[in-house]
Amino acid sequence: MMNEMNFKMPASLNELALNLDNADEKTYLISGGTDLIIKLREKKIYSGTIIDLKGIQELNYIRQIEQTICIGANTTFTEMIHSEILIKNAPCLVQAAEQIGSTQIRNAATIGGNIANAFAGADAIPALIAMGVKVKMMNAKGEFFLKDIDEVVIGSGKNSLHKDEVITEVIAPVLGHGYKSFFGKVGSRERVTIAKLNMAVVVKNNHETGVIEDARVVLGSLGPKAFRSDLVEIELVGKYITDSLQTEFEKALITQIDISIAGRSSRPYKREAVKALSEDAFSNLFGSPAWRCNNEK
């Protein structure tokens, strides 16, 4: 029997639901295609059904509804970079989008595809976890449901979606007054680099007392999926923003690396790399060292 790849391009969510009704293990969803096409070639998959989501215009948007930011699954990283809503309310998502691949990849790759691909070194996922986003999905019956992103991304290249389910939207809270966010990464090349280590941080600083009231620190490329580090967060919450706190922040990050990749050959490199990330994060979130010294308690 000859290999045959069927191609479908629904123009609406209703059409997509009908296509999903017949989905099986050889059904592949594609939006930007920057990850899936490579996988199909590597695994020598030449038969099955490809459902291209790009024709569904109702999945392409970034909008703020009261205290919620909604991002359609077909939204590209280039569109995220230029979104005033995200620039104002979710800088870490913009910073992550800016560092994804090349201009051509950012123009094609979508937020929904990035989540579904669940690559361990993906740049958007740590930022999304730090933001506390929920992922909206639809099944073949046209029913919608929500999951925390941590429930969707379950391992390296693994997600929890069934074959008849698709990501339709990413929902992030507007973090509000006092919150700031940061994303940074270290890679082997200056451009089009895959992260050897990446980090997203969301903090809430009480400007009256100078105390950090909330902290979420997410590390990627240290295991099968990005994760929040309780060990590092504990070092920040309830503390004054001082130079000594930056030192403790760096030490906690190094300790987390030692725990996460004990015995790995990459550990010495990542121990050094996280020092640069911690300095960038602290400066981005809390300003100049001179200001921090004035707030030493």
Side-chain angles (χ1 to χ4, degrees), residues 58 60-65 68-72 83 85 169:
E58 58 193 295
N60 192 346
Y61 55 84
I62 301 173
R63 59 176 72 111
Q64 182 175 344
I65 303 173
T68 301
I69 301 168
C70 301
I71 308 172
S83 166
I85 292 173
E169 187 177 66

Side-chain angles (χ1 to χ4, degrees), residues 205-267:
N205 175 32
N206 187 316
H207 289 289
E208 293 183 1
T209 64
V211 171
I212 299 171
E213 296 180 339
D214 185 22
R216 307 169 204 168
V217 180
V218 182
L219 293 164
S221 296
L222 284 179
K225 60 181 287 187
F227 64 93
R228 282 184 63 173
S229 172
D230 294 339
L231 185 156
V232 179
E233 292 173 0
I234 288 170
E235 288 297 324
L236 295 176
V237 176
K239 306 292 180 62
Y240 291 104
I241 303 165
T242 63
D243 285 348
S244 59
L245 180 61
Q246 180 176 350
T247 301
E248 294 307 310
F249 178 53
E250 179 183 299
K251 288 180 179 178
L253 285 167
I254 292 171
T255 300
Q256 181 65 75
I257 286 173
D258 288 342
I259 293 170
S260 298
I261 54 172
R264 297 276 185 89
S265 60
S266 61
R267 186 169 70 95

Side-chain angles (χ1 to χ4, degrees), residues 61-62 69-73 75 80 86 93 111 168-171:
Y61 55 84
I62 301 173
I69 301 168
C70 301
I71 308 172
T75 303
M80 290 173 62
L86 296 183
L93 284 180
I111 186 67
T168 60
E169 187 177 66
V170 175
I171 301 171

